[in-house]
Amino acid sequence: MGDYLVWPWFERLEAMQPQTLSEFPLTQAWYKAMKELPAVKDCIHTTENHLKFWEKYRAGDADSQLIGVN
């Protein structure tokens, strides 16, 4: 359960600073394994969506929370 609780933070980290994970090989292996889990695959956001969110969020756009919602 702990893996799923911290996953969103690492998903964002990969989008914002992808080089960070390469500095920690065990964490990078965990990240890659998590991305293969069906539960994670069903709810993962693209790097593009994360970057769009932060751009709109910083601009004060209330609709930033809706990026990636189908």
Side-chain angles (χ1 to χ4, degrees):
M1 190 69 177
D3 289 331
Y4 293 117
L5 291 172
V6 298
W7 168 252
W9 297 100
F10 282 89
E11 181 183 9
R12 291 181 193 110
L13 177 67
E14 173 65 15
M16 301 302 291
Q17 295 184 4
Q19 73 281 0
T20 303
L21 285 177
S22 64
E23 296 174 17
F24 303 96
L26 294 176
T27 305
Q28 187 175 32
W30 170 85
Y31 179 84
K32 288 179 181 179
M34 286 293 291
K35 283 179 76 171
E36 296 303 316
L37 294 173
V40 172
K41 284 183 178 182
D42 287 346
C43 66
I44 198 167
H45 289 277
T46 65
T47 299
E48 179 181 318
N49 281 350
H50 280 294
L51 296 176
K52 282 182 187 177
F53 164 77
W54 283 111
E55 179 182 329
K56 288 182 174 262
Y57 179 79
R58 287 182 184 129
D61 187 343
D63 290 336
S64 63
Q65 301 291 327
L66 301 175
I67 292 176
V69 177
N70 296 330

